[in-house]
Amino acid sequence: GAGVSQSPRYKVTKRGQDVALRCDPISGHVSLYWYRQALGQGPEFLTYFNYEAQQDKSGLPNDRFSAERPEGSISTLTIQRTEQRDSAMYRCASSPLDRGTTFFGQGTRLTVV
Amino acid sequence: DAKTTQPPSMDCAEGRAANLPCNHSTISGNEYVYWYRQIHSQGPQYIIHGLKNNETNEMASLIITEDRKSSTLILPHATLRDTAVYYCIDFRLPGGGTSYGKLTFGQGTILTVHP
């Protein structure tokens, strides 16, 4: 596609429910990143993939958070047993292999009530 | 944690040059200087990057000091649409040890362009 596509754009979920956020990167981009952004703060790194391999997951806050990219293209970030503190904007980004020229999607606004 | 430091906010008159400074006190030899900006609630947008030479593209110019401890992003003729948060980032390419590949954002500089 023309840009990084994320879905849904908005998600409201009840505390304790699981959510799955989807990212479709720019075609041909090998590296895919997930970031989380709180209001008024810069994006915070969560995890990233090269192809289907998860290179770094040091930013995932705890084991309720996981991500996968099974075929090296679309990625899913899953949050299990959501908590109110998980409410944030979740942004996906992609780039050619390991480059800092990264293109961000519009994000998914997650609200846990 | 972000490795760079930036002023929290700056103002600029429309049509004038906006010069945004950044300190890279701990930058290492295998790290590039990258600049991004974020307009309102949009995703961050890449602006420009450099290693040690000055760079220019259609969006901006980047000046990096010889010791690479500071850089300045220059928007030559700021417009109202340039109002945004601007981030400078030290980015490590693969082969530079651990923690490569990811962008570490700080608080950035809120640039407000006035009519």
Side-chain angles (χ1 to χ4, degrees):
Chain A
V4 178
S5 178
Q6 292 187 245
S7 61
R9 290 290 307 279
Y10 303 91
K11 177 69 176 179
V12 179
T13 189
K14 292 185 177 180
R15 188 178 54 181
Q17 297 293 307
D18 299 349
V19 295
L21 312 181
R22 174 189 164 115
C23 173
D24 194 349
I26 292 174
S27 178
H29 277 189
V30 170
S31 299
L32 183 147
Y33 307 82
W34 284 99
Y35 289 81
R36 179 171 69 174
Q37 188 169 19
L39 205 60
Q41 303 293 317
E44 174 190 24
F45 170 81
L46 295 177
T47 184
Y48 96 97
F49 296 81
N50 282 343
Y51 302 99
E52 72 282 359
Q54 194 169 19
Q55 297 293 318
D56 185 344
K57 57 180 181 179
S58 62
L60 296 177
N62 50 60
D63 60 8
R64 295 187 297 105
F65 288 72
S66 63
E68 63 175 9
R69 193 187 185 197
E71 297 180 359
S73 179
I74 292 170
S75 176
T76 302
L77 177 70
T78 301
I79 309 173
Q80 296 179 311
R81 305 181 303 281
T82 53
E83 301 177 4
Q84 284 188 321
R85 60 177 172 160
D86 299 333
S87 296
M89 177 73 81
Y90 288 83
R91 298 195 185 273
C92 177
S94 71
S95 74
L97 182 63
D98 288 327
R99 290 292 176 261
T101 313
T102 304
F103 297 83
F104 283 79
Q106 290 299 305
T108 294
R109 169 72 67 187
L110 175 66
T111 302
V112 182
V113 298
Chain B
D1 293 336
K3 297 170 50 181
T4 60
T5 54
Q6 302 176 251
S9 64
M10 294 183 65
D11 290 339
C12 179
E14 189 177 21
R16 304 298 294 269
N19 298 295
L20 293 94
C22 177
N23 288 324
H24 308 263
S25 57
T26 61
I27 195 169
S28 59
N30 56 11
E31 290 181 316
Y32 282 70
V33 172
Y34 274 75
W35 281 82
Y36 277 75
R37 72 179 182 184
Q38 191 166 22
I39 297 173
H40 194 45
S41 60
Q42 297 178 22
Q45 176 191 25
Y46 164 80
I47 301 174
I48 197 168
H49 75 280
L51 184 61
K52 54 183 177 181
N53 297 318
N54 298 339
E55 302 288 344
T56 296
N57 63 19
E58 66 277 5
M59 290 184 68
S61 295
L62 174 61
I63 308 295
I64 302 173
T65 58
E66 191 168 345
D67 65 2
R68 305 211 318 128
K69 298 300 184 184
S70 65
S71 70
T72 302
L73 179 75
I74 301 172
L75 307 178
H77 305 287
T79 71
L80 298 178
R81 289 177 296 179
D82 292 321
T83 293
V85 181
Y86 287 77
Y87 299 97
C88 60
I89 299 168
D90 298 340
F91 180 79
R92 178 172 295 172
L93 290 176
T98 59
S99 301
Y100 63 83
K102 63 187 180 186
L103 297 165
T104 302
F105 292 84
Q107 295 295 312
T109 296
I110 301 172
L111 174 68
T112 304
V113 181
H114 298 286

